[in-house]
Amino acid sequence: MIPAAFEYHAPASLADAVKLLGQHGDEAKILSGGQSLIPLMKLRLATPRHVVDINGIAGLDYLKEEDGVLRIGALVREADLEDSEFIRARYPLLHDTSRVVADPLVRNLATVCGNLAHADPANDHPAAMLALGAEVVATGPRGERRIAITSFFTGPFATALRGDEVLTEVRVPVPLPRSGGAYLKLERKVGDFATAAVAVQVALDPAGTCVHAGVGLTNAGTVPIKARRAEGFLRGKPLDDATVRRAGELAAEEADPVDDVRGSAAYKRDLVRVLTARALRLAAGRAGAGR
Amino acid sequence: MVPRTPPEVGGMGHSVKRKEDARFIRGKGTYVDDIQLPGMLYLDIVRSPLAHARITKIDTSKALAIPGVLAVITGADLAKYNLHWMPTLMSDTQMVLPVEKVMYQAQEVAAVLATDRYIAADGVDAVEVAYEPLPVVVDPIKALAPDAPVLRTDKTDKKDNHIWHWEWGDRAATDRAFAEADVTVRQDIYLPRIHVASIETCGCVAHFDRVADKLTVWMTTQAPHAIRTVFALVAGHVGLAEHKIRIISPDIGGGFGGKVPVYPGYVIAVAASVLTGKPVKWVEDRMENLQADSFARDYHMTCELAARKDGTLTALRIKTIADHGYADAAANPSKFPAGLFHICTGSYDFQAAHVEVDGVYTNKPPGGIAYRCSFRVTEAVHAIERMTDLMAHHLGMDPAEFRLKNFIRPEQFPYRSALGWEYDSGNYAAALRKAMDRIGYAELRREQAEKRQRGELMGIGISSFTEIVGAGPSKHFDILGLKMFDSAEIRVHPTGKVIARFGTRSQGQGHETTYAQIIAEELGIPVADIQVEEGDTDTAPYGLGTYASRSTPVAGAAGAMAARKIRDKARKIAAYLLEAAEDDLVWEPGRFSVAGAPHRFKTIQDIAFAAYTNHPQGMEAGLEAVSYYDPPNLTYPFGSYICVVDIDKGTGQVKVRRFVAVDDCGNIINPMIVEGQIHGGLTMGLAPALYEEIAYDENGNIQGGSFIDYLLPTAVETPRWETDKTTTPSPHHPLGAKGVGESATVGAPAAIANAVVDALWHLGVRHVDIPITPAKVWKLLREKGVSE
Amino acid sequence: MMRVQLTVNGERHEVEVEPRLLLVHLLRDVLRLTGTHIGCDTTHCGACTVLLEDRPVKSCTVFAVQANGKRLMTVEGLERNGTLHPIQEGFVQEHGLQCGYCTPGMMMTSYAFLKRTPNPSEDEIRHAISGNLCRCTGYVNIVKAVQYAAARLQEGGA
Ligand SMILES: Cc1cc2nc3c(=O)[nH]c(=O)nc-3n(C[C@H](O)[C@H](O)[C@H](O)COP(=O)(O)OP(=O)(O)OC[C@H]3O[C@@H](n4cnc5c(N)ncnc54)[C@H](O)[C@@H]3O)c2cc1C
Ligand code: FES
Ligand code: FES
C-alpha cells in the first residue's frame, strides 16, 4: 500500500501555510497528525497533489485555560490530553475521549483539531465537543474567525472550513461549578472506531438538580449528533434513575444510524439509549464528587 | 517429569531459554522482506474488484509508459509456457493468472514488474482491465441447487459445483442407534471463514542465476521441500529440475498453516526471475493476504447426538457442506479430503457414528487450510463439544458431570473410536477434574445461581477436547503422493559439537532450542553445543514441513532416532576405547561407563574425538546419522478447558473473566515453550470465538478484508490465561511426546461458546454461532425480552 | 526528491527521498535497518513502531520527510555497547516472543512506556501495548517481560 506521489510543503508560519492552501486550492491537504490522512493516501482513497505539513509551525501546541476557556492548539495530540492530570481532573469528558481514540501509538501523533477537521462521523472528539459546547477557530487569509461547533459539521467528512483555512484552535468553555462529564464508547476491540458512543456533560445546582446538560453522539448518523431533546429534558431535573433512562430513550430517538459491519441501525440506536443513561450516571457522580 | 539431564546440558524437561531469541531481540532476524539483492526488481499484483467476471480487455499501455515499469505479465503471457494454471495440494487446479475469467474478488489478474516497489504500485494503479460481470455464487448450499451456474467451466466434464463427497463410519448402525435412542438433539453449527493472519504476510525473493542455471527462492513457507517438489513438477517442462531449485525458508513471522500453500504470487515471481534473469521480490500486503490467501473453515455442519435417559451417549451423526471457494486448495492428506474430521467423536465412548462431508465450489478464494489447527480438527471438536453441552443441558445434567460420565476411561486405551481411530493414551477425567479444582467450579456454579436471581448474566463453559496430530503413518498419509514422514540429520564433530538439520521449518515454535534439547537428552551433549538448522533444501534432509503440530511428534522423533543411532555407534567406540564388552557398558546422559566400575568411563566428547582419530578397525570413521521417521500412529493430545464469561445485558458484550486450560501433551521437551504455545493457541481460539470472521455479501464482496474489520485481539481483549497440565505419555512415540502447537486453538472456541450459551440457556437460547459479537448477543437478548 | 537529515540511534544520516516515501521504508530499504517490520496497511499492527523524538509511533504512517531534523530510535538502538537493555532481557527471560516479528515494535513501545510509567500495573501494561498486535504469544509473557524490565530498571539495571 503505497501513496501516490505528491509535493511536500513544510511552512514555518501559519501565514505561509494559508498562502500555500490558497495557491493549491482543492489539490492541497493539511497534514497534522497524519493518522487519518496518511492511511487514506496509502489506500489511494486520498491523492492530494500537495501536502501542507503544519507540524513545523511554532506555537500551535498549547493546551491552557485562559479567560474562561480551555484553548487547545492545532498541534495538541491526543496523548497530551490523556497524559494531562489537569485535563483528567477538570475535563473528564475530554480525558475519557482521548483514551479511547484509536490506540496509544496513533494517539501520540493524532491531533484533537485533526480529529474535528476530518469530520468522520465515527471520530470521537466531535461528539465530545458538541456536548461541551465548544467553538473552533479557523485561520485564513483574512485572519481568524470563530465557528460554533454546532455549525461546524456540515456533512460526512465535510466541515464549515474553507479550503484556505487552518483549524488553529478549539475553545472549550470552562466547566460550571459542580460539573461532570463522561464518554462511553462501545468498540469491537481497542483501536476500532465506535459502534456507537455517547458524550455527556452536566452541571448540577447545590441541590443536585441539573442546570446544564450537553449530549453528543458518535457514529449515530452521517454527522456527529447533538441530542438536543435529551439535553432539554434533563435541564431542571434531578439526575435520578428514571430521568437518565428517559434521557437515554430521547437520545436514541434522536440518533439516526445506519446498518453496517459494526451492527444494525436498531442495535446502534439501542446502544445510544444504554450508553447515554450510563454516561449520565457516571457524569452525575463525577459532578457530585466535585461538590 | 523430572529432567534426566542437568541444567547445563538442558535435555528434556528444562525450560531452556531460546537460542533464536538472540537475533530477534536485536532486530537481526532475517525475514523474506529483509532480503535485498543487487539489481532486484519488484512485483506487484493487479487484482479483480469483482467476484465473478469475464475479462474482456487488459490495457497495459499506461502502466508500461511509467518510467521504471519493465513489464506487465498477464495470463496470456504465462499461457505461452503453460504456466497459467497450477495444481493445488489436493490435486485440484488453480489459476496463476487468468486468461478468461476471474473467480473471486481480489483474484490476481496481472502482475507489474518494476525497479522499485513504489513504481510497481503506480503500475498496478495504471493497468486498466475491463470486465463483464457473471452471476456470483456465494452460498455453498445454493451452489448445489440444480439451477446454480456452474463455476468451473474450465473442467469440461463438470456439470455442477460439487467437488467431492466423503463419508466415514457405519451408517446403518448409526441410524439404528438414533432410532432406538431415548433422547436426541440436533443443531446446525456454522464455523465461519477465518484467516490465520500471521503478522508477517507472504512473499518471496526469486533469483534465477542464468550462469549456474539455478533458481534460488527465499520464501515464506512452512514446507520448503514439498514446495521444491511442487515447483519441479509444475515447471519441469520449462527446464526447472529439482536439483536446480533451492528453496530457502528464512525466519518466518508466523505461519499457522497459511504458509503451506503455493500462492500465485510466488509462481509469477519465479517466472519473472527466470524470464529476466534478475532477482524479483514479491511481498503481499495485508489486504492481499486477508483477501486472497487460503482461508480456514467455512464449514456448515448439521450435528446430531443420541443418548439414553440416564445420560449415556450412544451415537453421533454429522453432515457437512464444506465451502472451498473456487478450487480445493486445502492441505489435507490425499486420502482424507475432509482432513481428520472423523476425530469428531472426541473424548467420548460412542457405539456408533457416521459423518458425511461434501466439498463445494463458490466464488471465493480457494483454501480450506489450517488456522493453527489443521485437518479440520477444530471443526470436529467444536461440533462434539457444543453438542455434548447441548445434550447435557437438554437432559438437565451438569455439563461437567455429563462429560465425566461419558469419557473414554483410562483403562480403555489404546482405544478404537467408532470412526476407526486408535487413540494412543489418555486420562480425560483427570484433566477435567484438575481444571474444575483450579477454577473452583462448584463455587462458580453457586455464584452463577445467585447472579441469575439478580438478573445478571454469567456463564461457565467447558471443552474437553481430544486432538489428533503427528501426521502421519505413511500407510495412510501423503500429500500429492509424498509420504508424511519427517527427517533429521545429526553430525557430531570431533570436538563434540553438533550440527543438526531437520526437514521442518519453525515459524516461532522454537525448534532451534527444542530440537537441540532432544539431542541433548539422547546424547548428553549440552544444548549450547548443538546448532540446529532448517529450511534450506540444499542442506536439510527431505521432510514434509511444519504444520498440524507435526514437528515434535514426527521430526522430533526423527531427531531422537538419529541421536540413538549415534549413541549405538558411540557405544561401540566406547567399548573399544574402554576395552570392555558393549553389553557391559552403562549409558547415563553424556557418558558410557563400565558396569560396576563407574570411574572407567568415556564422555560423549571423548568418543566423538575418537570417532575421527582413533576409531576401531573395520568401522567407518565419523559420528553422524540420518533418520527418516515414519510414525507408527498419530498422537492424541487432549485437555479440559473451563471458561467464565460475564455478559453485559445492555450492550451484548461478552467478557471472558477467567479461562483455565489444563493440557496433556505427553512428555514435555521445554515447559516454557509449551506454555507459550498454549498461550498463543488460546488466543487464536479466543479470536474466532469472539472477533474474527471473513464474510461476503451476496455479490461476493469481502467484508473483513483488512485489519480495520478483521479483528485480531489485542492485549486488552485477551484474558490472562491460566494454564496447567497432566502428563500421559504417548506409548508409541520415542520421547513419549504428543505435540502441542494447536490444542488450545482447537479446544478454546467451544469453551467460550459453551459459556455464552450457559449464561443464556435459562432465557431459551440454545446455540450461538461464532464469532459471538456484541451485536449478535444483543439481538438474542432483545428477542428474549432482556434489556437494561 | 527532497533532502532529509535525521539521527537514527545516535547516528546522523542525510538522504534524498521522494516525499511519499514512508518512514518505515526509509529505515528498512534505504538505511537497511530491517529490525523494524511491516505487518499491515491500515496502521493497526504496530510491527513498525519506532521512537520519534522519544514517542513511539507507527513508522508506516509517517512520511520520511516529516522526520527531517528529528531524532529516531529503532530496535537496533536498544543494545548499548554490547549490553542488552532490560526490556530485551525481559523478552528472553519471560519468553515474550515466538516468531519475533512483532517483537521489535513491542519492545519499542514498552521501552517508551516504562520511561513514563516506571512502576506499571498489569492493566496499564496491557493498555500501553494495545496498539501492537502479536499473533503468537497470547500477550501473557509479553506482559511479564515488561514487568521484568520494570523491576530491573527500578533496581537501576540500565
Ligand atoms: C488504526 C486507527 C484507528 C483509529 N481509531 C479512531 C477512533 O477510534 N476514534 C477517532 O476519533 N479516530 C480514530 N482514528 C483517527 C485518528 O484519531 C486520526 O488521527 C484523527 O481523526 C485525525 O487527526 P490527525 O491529526 O491525525 O489528522 P490528519 O490525518 O493529519 O488529517 C485528517 C484530515 O483533517 C485535515 N486536517 C488535519 N488537521 C487540520 C487542521 N488543523 N486544519 C484543517 N484541516 C486539518 C487533513 O487535511 C485531513 O483531511 C484512528 C486512526 C487509525 C489509524
Ligand atoms: S505496519 Fe502495521 S501499523 Fe505500521
Ligand atoms: S511473536 Fe510472532 S507475532 Fe508476536
Side-chain angles (χ1 to χ4, degrees):
Chain A
M1 287 288 118
I2 308 285
F6 59 85
E7 211 175 300
Y8 175 76
H9 309 272
S13 72
L14 208 47
D16 288 351
V18 168
K19 202 187 299 161
L20 282 162
L21 292 173
Q23 274 165 19
H24 299 297
D26 284 353
E27 300 199 326
K29 275 276 180 201
I30 293 175
L31 171 75
S32 55
Q35 301 302 288
S36 289
L37 182 63
I38 299 176
L40 286 174
M41 289 175 69
K42 286 168 73 178
L43 298 172
R44 299 198 180 195
L45 294 172
T47 50
R49 290 294 229 347
H50 297 270
V51 168
V52 180
D53 181 354
I54 62 170
N55 286 281
I57 301 175
L60 288 180
D61 57 354
Y62 53 85
L63 175 64
K64 60 187 172 193
E65 217 177 68
E66 215 171 67
D67 303 333
V69 285
L70 174 71
R71 300 175 58 200
I72 305 174
L75 292 178
V76 170
R77 318 282 165 176
E78 299 289 352
D80 297 331
L81 293 188
E82 188 183 2
D83 294 345
S84 161
E85 190 48 38
F86 169 71
I87 294 292
R88 194 188 64 75
R90 201 155 149 81
Y91 298 89
L93 165 53
L94 285 182
H95 194 254
D96 282 1
T97 309
S98 67
R99 284 172 52 83
V100 295
V101 168
D103 63 52
L105 303 172
V106 170
R107 294 201 287 273
N108 278 333
L109 288 173
T111 64
V112 179
C113 287
N115 199 284
L116 299 175
H118 191 52
D120 182 338
N123 276 152
D124 291 303
H125 273 296
M129 295 304 172
L130 284 168
L132 287 164
E135 210 175 44
V136 302
V137 178
T139 304
R142 283 167 301 281
E144 292 187 355
R145 65 183 180 116
R146 293 198 189 165
I147 309 169
I149 196 75
T150 43
S151 43
F152 185 68
F153 303 106
T154 54
F157 302 94
T159 68
L161 285 177
R162 300 190 189 112
D164 54 1
E165 284 180 325
V166 180
L167 198 175
T168 45
E169 182 178 307
V170 200
R171 299 166 66 86
V172 178
V174 299
L176 298 168
R178 289 173 300 278
S179 282
Y183 189 68
L184 289 184
K185 167 175 175 176
L186 187 91
E187 53 186 8
R188 295 173 300 176
K189 60 169 253 192
V190 170
D192 189 22
F193 285 93
T195 305
V198 177
V200 306
Q201 177 74 15
V202 296
L204 310 178
D205 72 8
T209 304
C210 176
V211 293
H212 167 86
V215 180
L217 312 180
T218 300
N219 219 10
T222 52
V223 290
I225 290 174
K226 186 170 167 66
R228 294 175 195 274
R229 283 173 52 212
E231 292 175 353
F233 173 78
L234 287 163
R235 268 193 296 275
K237 294 196 179 62
L239 296 182
D240 56 24
D241 197 57
T243 306
V244 301
R245 280 174 177 274
R246 181 65 195 136
E249 286 165 13
L250 289 171
E253 285 170 22
E254 290 172 90
D256 186 17
V258 292
D259 294 349
D260 65 18
V261 286
R262 290 188 174 76
S264 65
Y267 177 46
K268 293 179 188 176
R269 194 185 289 282
D270 199 46
L271 282 177
V272 168
R273 180 183 67 79
V274 170
L275 297 178
T276 301
R278 288 183 186 177
L280 281 168
R281 284 187 201 108
L282 187 56
R286 285 171 172 173
R291 227 182 297 191
Chain B
M1 189 180 112
V2 184
R4 290 196 302 152
T5 55
E8 321 77 82
V9 172
M12 278 180 72
H14 288 291
S15 286
V16 176
K17 304 294 176 228
R18 302 197 325 162
K19 292 165 154 259
E20 37 277 88
D21 290 358
R23 60 181 186 276
F24 294 140
I25 55 155
R26 290 176 172 86
K28 297 291 181 200
T30 305
Y31 302 90
V32 164
D33 200 15
D34 300 340
I35 292 162
Q36 214 175 65
L37 301 178
M40 191 168 76
L41 305 177
Y42 290 81
L43 190 85
D44 202 350
I45 292 178
V46 180
R47 291 177 183 273
S48 169
L50 299 176
H52 195 198
R54 198 173 305 288
I55 297 171
T56 54
K57 186 163 192 248
I58 301 180
D59 184 347
T60 61
S61 54
K62 283 192 189 140
L64 288 169
I66 298 171
V69 171
L70 305 178
V72 180
I73 302 164
T74 64
D77 299 324
L78 295 183
K80 286 182 219 150
Y81 306 94
N82 197 24
L83 284 175
H84 55 312
W85 284 87
M86 63 179 179
T88 70
L89 295 178
M90 297 309 292
S91 301
D92 197 349
T93 52
Q94 174 182 357
M95 287 177 241
V96 178
L97 284 174
V99 172
E100 190 203 339
K101 60 177 191 169
V102 287
M103 297 288 266
Y104 67 93
Q105 188 181 51
Q107 186 181 335
E108 298 79 1
V109 172
V112 174
L113 192 63
T115 50
D116 164 305
R117 57 173 111 220
Y118 281 58
I119 298 173
D122 291 343
V124 164
D125 227 28
V127 172
E128 292 171 330
V129 186
Y131 300 94
E132 183 188 304
L134 294 168
V136 178
V137 180
V138 176
D139 180 341
I141 292 144
K142 289 188 188 148
L144 291 176
D147 58 344
V150 177
L151 298 181
R152 292 299 298 264
T153 47
D154 57 293
K155 302 187 179 206
T156 42
D157 56 337
K158 199 91 198 117
K159 299 286 179 276
D160 56 28
N161 297 315
H162 186 249
I163 316 176
W164 42 255
H165 172 84
W166 175 84
E167 61 177 87
W168 205 262
D170 188 335
R171 183 193 290 264
T174 305
D175 289 351
R176 218 175 312 119
F178 269 89
E180 289 164 3
D182 299 331
V183 202
T184 62
V185 288
R186 179 192 165 100
Q187 180 64 51
D188 287 341
I189 300 176
Y190 175 54
L191 284 181
R193 269 191 182 230
I194 49 173
H195 198 286
V196 294
S198 51
I199 303 297
E200 181 202 35
T201 60
C202 296
C204 68
V205 175
H207 183 204
F208 182 68
D209 179 337
R210 282 183 174 161
V211 177
D213 191 27
K214 179 150 186 171
L215 172 71
T216 304
V217 190
W218 290 262
M219 170 171 180
T220 48
T221 177
Q222 300 172 222
H225 298 274
I227 294 296
R228 182 182 57 174
T229 304
V230 171
F231 275 4
L233 293 174
V234 173
H237 64 284
V238 293
L240 283 180
E242 199 161 5
H243 65 300
K244 293 289 189 185
I245 304 173
R246 178 181 187 187
I247 307 289
I248 300 173
S249 176
D251 288 324
I252 300 294
F256 314 117
K259 290 172 180 168
V260 173
V262 177
Y263 296 119
Y266 298 133
V267 179
I268 307 168
V270 166
S273 181
V274 171
L275 292 176
T276 58
K278 295 241 168 88
V280 174
K281 177 182 279 189
W282 167 70
V283 176
E284 64 183 7
D285 62 39
R286 174 60 56 194
M287 290 165 77
E288 295 178 289
N289 171 260
L290 288 173
Q291 295 177 11
D293 288 1
S294 291
F295 67 93
R297 306 189 191 149
D298 217 339
Y299 247 35
H300 299 256
M301 305 184 282
T302 300
C303 312
E304 293 172 280
L305 282 189
R308 286 200 280 273
K309 275 200 295 287
D310 69 351
T312 307
L313 285 168
T314 54
L316 165 144
R317 190 158 58 194
I318 304 179
K319 283 191 181 167
T320 297
I321 303 286
D323 183 343
H324 276 274
Y326 94 88
D328 182 359
N332 291 318
S334 310
K335 270 196 195 164
F336 302 110
L340 312 185
F341 184 63
H342 42 319
I343 191 68
C344 60
T345 54
S347 309
Y348 311 101
D349 192 11
F350 283 96
Q351 291 165 10
H354 185 250
V355 291
E356 287 175 77
V357 185
D358 288 277
V360 179
Y361 288 130
T362 58
N363 285 119
K364 297 182 199 166
I369 54 143
Y371 175 98
R372 201 179 183 138
C373 44
S374 303
F375 304 155
R376 305 296 190 181
V377 179
T378 309
E379 288 85 330
V381 166
H382 202 75
I384 182 66
E385 286 304 307
R386 274 296 300 124
M387 293 308 288
T388 305
D389 238 57
L390 192 64
M391 181 62 97
H393 276 104
H394 190 79
L395 289 166
M397 288 179 72
D398 180 277
E401 286 309 315
F402 183 76
R403 284 178 169 82
L404 289 166
K405 182 177 174 70
N406 283 288
F407 278 150
I408 300 159
R409 293 182 313 281
E411 64 274 16
Q412 286 176 282
F413 291 91
Y415 169 85
R416 181 161 292 274
S417 77
L419 290 174
W421 296 111
E422 189 174 302
Y423 293 17
D424 56 350
S425 62
N427 188 347
Y428 301 152
L432 177 53
R433 290 226 161 82
K434 193 161 197 175
M436 290 167 73
D437 286 349
R438 177 81 193 255
I439 205 158
Y441 187 74
E443 182 49 41
L444 285 169
R445 284 286 174 209
R446 265 194 296 280
E447 181 192 341
Q448 183 187 33
E450 274 169 32
K451 289 218 159 126
R452 204 165 275 178
Q453 292 287 316
R454 278 184 268 140
E456 290 172 39
L457 300 174
M458 162 188 169
I460 305 157
I462 302 175
S463 168
S464 292
F465 63 90
T466 290
E467 246 271 68
I468 174 166
V469 302
S474 60
K475 195 152 40 108
H476 297 299
F477 290 90
D478 70 85
I479 286 188
L480 286 178
L482 300 168
K483 300 296 188 185
M484 295 182 72
F485 55 80
D486 229 294
S487 59
E489 176 199 279
I490 303 176
R491 296 186 190 169
V492 186
H493 300 309
T495 56
K497 315 288 178 195
V498 176
I499 285 205
R501 299 195 167 106
F502 290 78
T504 48
R505 182 59 184 132
S506 174
Q507 315 119 40
Q509 297 91 335
H511 291 172
E512 285 167 51
T513 310
T514 49
Y515 287 166
Q517 286 185 265
I518 290 172
I519 296 168
E521 175 77 10
E522 296 295 332
L523 295 180
I525 296 175
V527 160
D529 291 349
I530 301 167
Q531 182 175 329
V532 169
E533 297 179 357
E534 309 173 274
D536 183 341
T537 56
D538 265 14
T539 56
Y542 205 100
L544 269 242
T546 295
Y547 45 91
S549 281
R550 58 191 300 282
S551 292
T552 299
V554 190
M561 299 312 270
R564 286 175 195 180
K565 287 186 193 174
I566 286 176
R567 203 165 70 201
D568 289 345
K569 182 167 180 184
R571 178 186 288 272
K572 291 193 169 66
I573 299 172
Y576 168 73
L577 296 174
L578 291 165
E579 295 175 349
E582 275 181 53
D583 288 348
D584 288 342
L585 295 185
V586 186
W587 170 256
E588 56 192 291
R591 62 169 67 188
F592 279 108
S593 56
V594 179
H599 59 284
R600 289 185 60 210
F601 68 88
K602 289 288 169 191
T603 65
I604 187 78
Q605 289 79 8
D606 299 336
I607 298 167
F609 195 68
Y612 295 87
T613 57
N614 178 25
H615 58 285
Q617 285 297 309
M619 178 191 274
E620 284 182 19
L623 197 57
E624 13 182 293
V626 181
S627 169
Y628 284 74
Y629 184 73
D630 184 357
N633 188 4
L634 295 124
T635 61
Y636 298 78
F638 60 92
S640 270
Y641 296 169
I642 308 184
C643 148
V644 185
V645 300
D646 297 302
I647 296 179
D648 182 329
K649 278 193 298 190
T651 63
Q653 234 174 352
V654 175
K655 181 156 175 44
V656 177
R657 188 205 307 173
R658 284 187 69 195
F659 196 111
V660 166
V662 174
D663 272 277
D664 192 321
C665 58
N667 289 336
I668 286 177
I669 296 160
N670 183 321
M672 175 189 83
I673 289 179
V674 164
E675 195 192 26
Q677 289 289 309
I678 292 168
H679 288 163
L682 288 169
T683 309
M684 284 181 83
L686 170 81
L690 297 183
Y691 303 102
E692 295 173 8
E693 172 167 18
I694 290 186
Y696 289 83
D697 71 10
E698 68 274 21
N699 297 317
N701 296 311
I702 191 166
Q703 326 275 301
S706 77
F707 278 169
I708 299 172
D709 291 312
Y710 194 74
L711 306 172
L712 270 57
T714 74
V716 170
E717 289 76 38
T718 307
R720 190 193 314 137
W721 306 114
E722 301 170 60
T723 56
D724 211 329
K725 64 171 191 290
T726 58
T727 305
T728 312
S730 170
H732 65 75
H733 186 272
L735 304 167
K738 288 189 169 185
V740 75
E742 315 187 333
S743 292
T745 303
V746 163
I752 296 170
N754 285 343
V756 171
V757 175
D758 185 63
L760 305 176
W761 182 272
H762 65 292
L763 304 173
V765 173
R766 296 293 169 260
H767 178 72
V768 198
D769 278 331
I770 61 170
I772 305 172
T773 60
K776 260 187 211 170
V777 175
W778 172 85
K779 190 156 178 282
L780 284 171
L781 290 171
R782 296 302 181 268
E783 279 167 10
K784 304 293 178 193
V786 177
S787 181
E788 174 175 292
Chain C
M1 295 297 263
M2 300 192 70
R3 179 163 298 276
V4 173
Q5 288 184 7
L6 69 173
T7 308
V8 185
N9 305 327
E11 202 175 310
R12 278 175 58 85
H13 297 269
E14 192 166 327
V15 284
E16 288 266 321
V17 301
E18 236 193 310
R20 64 168 166 164
L21 184 72
L22 297 168
L23 178 58
V24 70
H25 286 136
L26 171 73
L27 294 169
R28 289 178 48 79
D29 293 353
V30 182
L31 304 181
R32 297 297 290 143
L33 293 167
T34 55
T36 303
H37 297 147
I38 299 173
C40 73
D41 330 315
T42 51
T43 320
H44 281 89
C45 75
C48 61
T49 306
V50 302
L51 303 193
L52 176 63
E53 299 283 321
D54 302 324
R55 283 190 173 195
V57 301
K58 292 176 169 174
S59 65
C60 69
T61 312
V62 176
F63 291 118
V65 286
Q66 292 180 265
N68 189 18
K70 298 271 161 65
R71 204 162 27 84
L72 290 161
M73 180 173 161
T74 68
V75 63
E76 289 90 347
L78 281 175
E79 185 177 8
R80 299 268 164 83
N81 308 319
T83 307
L84 292 179
H85 187 271
I87 194 73
Q88 292 172 299
E89 273 177 41
F91 271 74
V92 175
Q93 293 301 324
E94 300 294 344
H95 189 30
L97 69 155
Q98 290 182 24
C99 77
Y101 201 77
C102 71
T103 314
M106 283 286 182
M107 291 195 303
M108 296 319 287
T109 298
S110 309
Y111 172 91
F113 168 68
L114 288 178
K115 292 226 151 169
R116 288 168 162 265
T117 319
N119 197 5
S121 67
E122 168 163 359
D123 210 42
E124 285 172 320
I125 297 172
R126 285 183 177 265
H127 275 91
I129 60 171
S130 62
N132 296 81
L133 295 174
C134 175
R135 199 56 158 165
C136 301
T137 65
Y139 303 107
V140 175
N141 289 347
I142 294 180
V143 171
K144 287 191 194 157
V146 178
Q147 287 167 334
Y148 175 101
R152 279 290 318 281
L153 288 164
Q154 295 264 300
E155 294 160 11

